[in-house]
């Protein structure tokens, strides 16, 4: 199932179905995602999973997969071991025209050594939606996954433009990082019927996106795809619209927002194991607080 609609449109599938009333939404952010996997490992430890469906973007989607597979520590190992190996991030390879982040190597290696329990993810029959960006149209694609395609879809959602030079094919279309079109898919969760939402972010609560030189470089890398370039141009405003929606949700919608603390030091491409461990532990330590906020909302 793919739902290629605009994430902020009120023309989405408004549903009175109570089975879709509670959602968990997880932002990406490359290695900043170590925070959300810490949170969700804490949830697993406390057997907390009251949600009816799940929406994830990029590394946030991969962290959701490990959460739904009930594999505590699995994605911590991805951040603090596999992501630090020279075969994953290689600036010299990048300057020679290859990937900066070799997702092919990362996926092949982790599937071989610490594969997700795909059967367990879908045992409860709850929808798990991963956000992608269509390269040709520039629009967000909301892919409801299954055991047969999840691993490939997760890689496609994490395929950061420029850093990963391929465009994975999903349902016949070229795709790239879901965060390009919809980094925090709150609007989509509401459109699908959610009335209570927990959103786990990878940025501090006061963060608003601003344009930076990296955005210009990414837009240049998209020069063969004008619609995708246009989406990238609007990325800052769309991100901040999502933050505003968290702050002022529609009537009848309650949103619990969980953000890294001010002292969170992990960056998009962190290669310091101690900082990544610290970020994971910060998430793990906030799990009880997140549960209390949800129960009190």
């Amino acid at each position: 199932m793919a739902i290629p609609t605009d994430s902020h449109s009120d023309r989405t599938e408004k549903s009175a179905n109570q089975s879709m009333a509670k959602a968990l939404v997880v932002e990406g952010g490359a290695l900043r995602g170590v925070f959300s996997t810490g949170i969700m490992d804490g949830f697993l430890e406390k057997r907390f999973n009251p949600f009816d469906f799940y929406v994830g973007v990029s590394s946030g989607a991969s962290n959701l997969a490990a959460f739904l597979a009930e594999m505590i520590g699995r994605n911590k190992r991805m951040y603090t071991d596999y992501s630090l190996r020279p075969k994953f991030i290689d600036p010299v390879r990048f300057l020679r025209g290859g990937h900066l982040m070799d997702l092919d190597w990362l996926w092949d290696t982790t599937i071989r050594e610490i594969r997700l329990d795909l059967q367990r993810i879908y045992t409860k029959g709850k929808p798990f939606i991963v956000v992608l960006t269509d390269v040709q149209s520039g629009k967000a694609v909301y892919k409801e996954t299954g055991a047969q395609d999840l691993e490939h879809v997760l890689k496609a959602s994490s395929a950061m433009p420029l850093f990963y030079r391929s465009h994975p094919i999903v349902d016949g279309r070229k795709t790239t990082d879901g965060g390009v079109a919809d980094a925090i898919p709150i609007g989509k969760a509401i459109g699908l019927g959610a009335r209570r939402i927990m959103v786990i972010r990878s940025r501090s609560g006061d963060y608003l996106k601003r344009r930076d030189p990296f955005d210009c470089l990414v837009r240049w890398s998209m020069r063969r795809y004008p619609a995708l370039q246009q989406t990238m141009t609007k990325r800052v405003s769309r991100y901040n619209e999502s933050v505003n929606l968290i702050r002022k949700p529609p009537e009848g919608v309650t949103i619990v927002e969980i953000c890294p603390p001010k002292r969170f030091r992990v960056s998009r491409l962190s290669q310091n194991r101690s900082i990544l461990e610290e970020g994971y532990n910060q998430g793990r330590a906030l799990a009880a607080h997140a549960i209390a906020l949800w129960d009190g909302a």
Side-chain angles (χ1 to χ4, degrees):
M1 174 183 174
I3 316 171
T5 54
D6 186 318
S7 64
H8 293 287
S9 171
D10 288 330
R11 301 188 303 275
T12 49
E13 306 83 348
K14 299 277 186 180
S15 173
N17 186 351
Q18 292 303 305
S19 68
M20 294 285 276
K22 294 174 288 186
L24 177 58
V25 174
V26 186
E27 182 182 8
L31 294 173
R32 290 196 304 270
V34 73
F35 172 77
S36 64
T37 208
I39 286 267
M40 287 184 281
D41 275 358
F43 288 173
L44 287 172
E45 191 174 55
K46 299 176 186 302
R47 300 183 180 276
F48 174 78
N49 185 0
F51 309 105
D52 301 315
F53 71 102
Y54 314 86
V55 188
V57 185
S58 191
S59 61
S62 292
N63 293 343
L64 267 172
F67 171 64
L68 295 174
E70 300 179 10
M71 297 173 71
I72 295 178
R74 190 260 184 189
N75 276 28
K76 177 188 177 184
R77 185 175 170 188
M78 287 190 69
Y79 288 101
T80 61
D81 177 3
Y82 293 92
S83 73
L84 301 180
R85 298 186 190 183
K87 288 187 177 180
F88 180 49
I89 295 181
D90 185 343
V92 174
R93 179 181 61 213
F94 179 66
L95 292 174
R96 290 174 175 170
H99 304 304
L100 177 64
M101 305 172 72
D102 190 346
L103 297 182
D104 300 322
W105 172 84
L106 183 64
W107 254 249
D108 290 346
T109 303
T110 54
I111 286 172
R112 184 172 63 250
E113 297 180 4
I114 51 170
R115 191 169 196 175
L116 291 163
D117 186 338
L118 297 170
Q119 182 176 359
R120 184 179 290 276
I121 289 172
Y122 297 98
T123 296
K124 296 181 177 63
K126 296 181 179 181
F128 177 18
I129 298 164
V130 175
V131 184
L132 310 166
T133 300
D134 185 306
V135 167
Q136 296 291 348
S137 70
K139 293 182 179 180
V141 176
Y142 304 93
K143 172 73 177 175
E144 185 169 339
T145 60
Q148 75 284 353
D149 61 11
L150 176 64
E151 290 165 326
H152 180 64
V153 174
L154 290 176
K155 181 164 74 171
S157 185
S158 295
M160 293 175 63
L162 185 62
F163 290 172
Y164 179 74
R165 298 184 188 272
S166 301
H167 299 301
I169 304 297
V170 176
D171 295 336
R173 72 182 85 203
K174 291 182 178 181
T175 62
T176 191
D177 183 356
V180 173
D182 194 3
I184 314 176
I186 290 289
K188 186 61 185 177
I190 293 171
L192 289 171
R195 293 300 173 262
R196 297 188 70 206
I197 303 168
M198 178 180 287
V199 55
I200 304 178
R201 296 183 60 193
S202 61
R203 296 282 197 177
S204 61
D206 61 356
Y207 175 80
L208 290 175
K209 187 174 285 296
R210 295 176 175 83
R211 298 197 184 280
D212 61 43
F214 174 72
D215 291 339
C216 296
L217 188 59
V218 173
R219 285 198 300 275
W220 175 83
S221 75
M222 298 171 173
R223 61 195 179 280
R224 293 173 52 199
Y225 305 102
L228 187 60
Q229 273 192 322
Q230 188 66 18
T231 297
M232 189 67 193
T233 300
K234 297 177 181 177
R235 189 180 181 211
V236 170
S237 61
R238 290 178 64 87
Y239 185 97
N240 294 337
E241 286 170 10
S242 293
V243 174
N244 289 335
L245 187 58
I246 293 171
R247 302 284 179 268
K248 298 178 181 179
E251 184 177 355
V253 174
T254 301
I255 298 177
V256 173
E257 179 187 20
I258 308 299
C259 298
K262 287 284 189 181
R263 62 188 184 279
F264 184 68
R265 298 190 291 161
V266 181
S267 64
R268 178 188 286 137
L269 298 179
S270 286
Q271 291 290 280
N272 184 307
R273 180 176 279 106
S274 65
I275 288 177
L276 289 165
E277 291 268 4
E278 176 185 88
Y280 172 83
N281 290 331
Q282 287 170 327
R284 192 76 173 262
L286 279 173
H289 176 64
I291 293 170
L293 287 177
W294 178 266
D295 289 342

